[in-house]
Amino acid sequence: MTTDSSLLNSELELQQQEELYQQLLLQAMGKIQTENPDSKVIRPQPGMCVKTLSEPSKQKVFVNICQSNSVPLPPDLSREELVELLQSEDPSGYRIPMSLGEPHTEVDNSSQGCTAYDVVINQEFFQKCQKDPLFQQFVILVCLEGLENKYNLELSRDWKVLKNRKFLGSVIEQNIRTKSRPVIQELQPPDSTAVSAKRPEFTLLVEPSAGDPEYLIAEIKLPGVPSSRSLVLDVGQDRLVLTARPSLFHLDIFYPFLIDQENSVAQFNKSTECSHVRCRRGI
């Protein structure tokens, strides 16, 4: 039995080309990491696939909610706190760290074209949401709002979680930040509103009160403020800026230490007319 040497040579060339391609790919990825040390490439794990529609076109949209330990864990939230949050006027004070991927075109079970988005959240938080339908609905709603804000979309709230599919399409690597960007990147000169507004009374507290503080809590009195919709809050790594419109209050203070922006929660109590900003101390 004889073997055609030309076939062996072709297979060897293909293998060498594949090895060269992989080597160049690794070099390129290493270069990207070096050029952008504040980010890294991750391959998330499939989680659940949510089907909805874009408005007003009624086109099918699929949201792949994925999981990865590389995404920060959001602040701890009990079921009772979640119910209270959802009943509040502004539930956006609780933030879930997530990575929103670019849209990609896919084909559904009916062989029809559709658009899919990949959203990556912390794996531990994802597992928590899987155990409680209320948390699952909450995280789906936050993901839809995140996609709407980033891509200027309008998505239907009549969604459906697919039972037998965790992901539509192929899992795509995402480039995520390893360091959070400051919410306040540049402060503009104070306008007439900030100048004419009053500086509200406030108190800074630390928890625990003894030893090394883990949390910093700002209690800000805002008499006459009707709801949280009148408030504009910016939380930086070492600074808090709050404005109550129209021209009611303006507060601009620095923290005594750096804080973790991703673990900051703000609430406004209508009955006491007081705003509470709770921040975890940064590393």
Side-chain angles (χ1 to χ4, degrees), residues 178-193:
T178 56
K179 294 183 178 179
S180 60
R181 295 177 181 173
V183 175
I184 307 174
Q185 296 184 358
E186 181 178 354
L187 292 177
Q188 302 295 331
D191 54 20
S192 58
T193 299

Side-chain angles (χ1 to χ4, degrees), residues 238-283:
D238 62 350
R239 194 173 189 176
L240 180 148
V241 179
L242 183 142
T243 301
R245 298 175 177 175
S247 304
L248 292 176
F249 298 103
H250 180 76
L251 180 65
D252 186 349
I253 57 175
F254 285 90
Y255 293 133
F257 46 74
L258 296 180
I259 59 100
D260 182 1
Q261 298 165 261
E262 300 295 341
N263 288 301
S264 300
V265 181
Q267 293 182 337
F268 177 73
N269 191 319
K270 289 179 60 178
S271 60
T272 61
E273 297 181 327
C274 187
S275 178
H276 296 261
V277 183
R278 180 184 175 90
C279 308
R280 182 189 291 272
R281 184 171 184 172
I283 298 176

Side-chain angles (χ1 to χ4, degrees), residues 79-96:
R79 198 177 200 278
E80 292 73 19
E81 291 172 330
L82 176 58
V83 172
E84 183 179 349
L85 179 68
L86 294 175
Q87 292 176 347
S88 66
E89 293 188 358
D90 186 16
S92 61
Y94 181 83
R95 296 186 297 174
I96 301 177

Side-chain angles (χ1 to χ4, degrees), residues 13-275:
E13 291 177 358
L14 289 175
Q15 182 179 357
Q16 291 175 342
Q17 291 177 1
E18 177 66 21
E19 292 177 353
L20 179 60
Y21 169 77
Q22 293 294 338
Q23 183 179 0
L24 292 174
L25 180 61
L26 291 174
Q27 291 177 354
M29 294 302 296
K31 184 177 180 181
I32 292 176
Q33 295 295 329
T34 302
E35 293 177 348
N36 191 5
D38 292 344
S39 66
K40 67 178 179 179
V41 177
I42 65 168
R43 179 176 289 274
Q45 299 180 18
M48 62 178 171
C49 185
V50 179
K51 176 184 176 182
T52 186
L53 298 173
S54 62
E55 301 288 359
S57 62
K58 301 298 182 182
Q59 297 294 319
K60 290 182 182 179
V61 173
F62 293 84
V63 180
N64 298 315
I65 301 181
C66 310
Q67 49 186 322
S68 173
N69 284 327
S70 297
V71 178
L73 183 69
D76 189 31
L77 186 71
S78 66
R79 198 177 200 278
E80 292 73 19
E81 291 172 330
L82 176 58
V83 172
E84 183 179 349
L85 179 68
L86 294 175
Q87 292 176 347
S88 66
E89 293 188 358
D90 186 16
S92 61
Y94 181 83
R95 296 186 297 174
I96 301 177
M98 60 179 59
S99 175
L100 304 173
E102 298 291 331
H104 49 98
T105 303
E106 302 293 342
V107 178
D108 62 12
N109 290 336
S110 304
S111 300
Q112 300 294 321
C114 60
T115 303
Y117 296 87
D118 304 338
V119 181
V120 188
I121 64 176
N122 178 268
Q123 186 171 20
E124 181 180 338
F125 185 69
F126 176 84
Q127 298 299 329
K128 179 179 181 179
C129 295
Q130 291 294 91
K131 298 176 182 178
D132 191 324
L134 183 62
F135 272 93
Q136 185 184 82
Q137 293 177 16
F138 175 61
V139 77
I140 292 174
L141 178 62
V142 174
C143 290
L144 295 181
E145 291 180 349
L147 291 172
E148 287 178 331
N149 293 333
K150 182 173 182 179
Y151 295 109
N152 195 24
L153 304 172
E154 184 177 352
L155 301 175
S156 171
R157 293 304 186 262
D158 185 16
W159 67 69
K160 178 182 179 182
V161 179
L162 303 185
K163 294 182 179 180
N164 300 320
R165 183 186 290 272
K166 295 183 178 181
F167 197 94
L168 180 67
S170 301
V171 179
I172 302 175
E173 293 180 339
Q174 288 199 25
N175 191 27
I176 66 169
R177 296 196 308 270
T178 56
K179 294 183 178 179
S180 60
R181 295 177 181 173
V183 175
I184 307 174
Q185 296 184 358
E186 181 178 354
L187 292 177
Q188 302 295 331
D191 54 20
S192 58
T193 299
V195 172
S196 60
K198 298 179 181 178
R199 180 181 173 94
E201 296 183 19
F202 69 94
T203 303
L204 293 180
L205 305 173
V206 294
E207 289 184 356
S209 57
D212 293 333
E214 184 178 359
Y215 292 95
L216 177 67
I217 302 173
E219 296 183 354
I220 308 167
K221 296 181 180 180
L222 302 168
V225 174
S227 71
S228 59
R229 300 181 185 276
S230 304
L231 302 177
V232 178
L233 175 66
D234 285 327
V235 179
Q237 289 182 320
D238 62 350
R239 194 173 189 176
L240 180 148
V241 179
L242 183 142
T243 301
R245 298 175 177 175
S247 304
L248 292 176
F249 298 103
H250 180 76
L251 180 65
D252 186 349
I253 57 175
F254 285 90
Y255 293 133
F257 46 74
L258 296 180
I259 59 100
D260 182 1
Q261 298 165 261
E262 300 295 341
N263 288 301
S264 300
V265 181
Q267 293 182 337
F268 177 73
N269 191 319
K270 289 179 60 178
S271 60
T272 61
E273 297 181 327
C274 187
S275 178

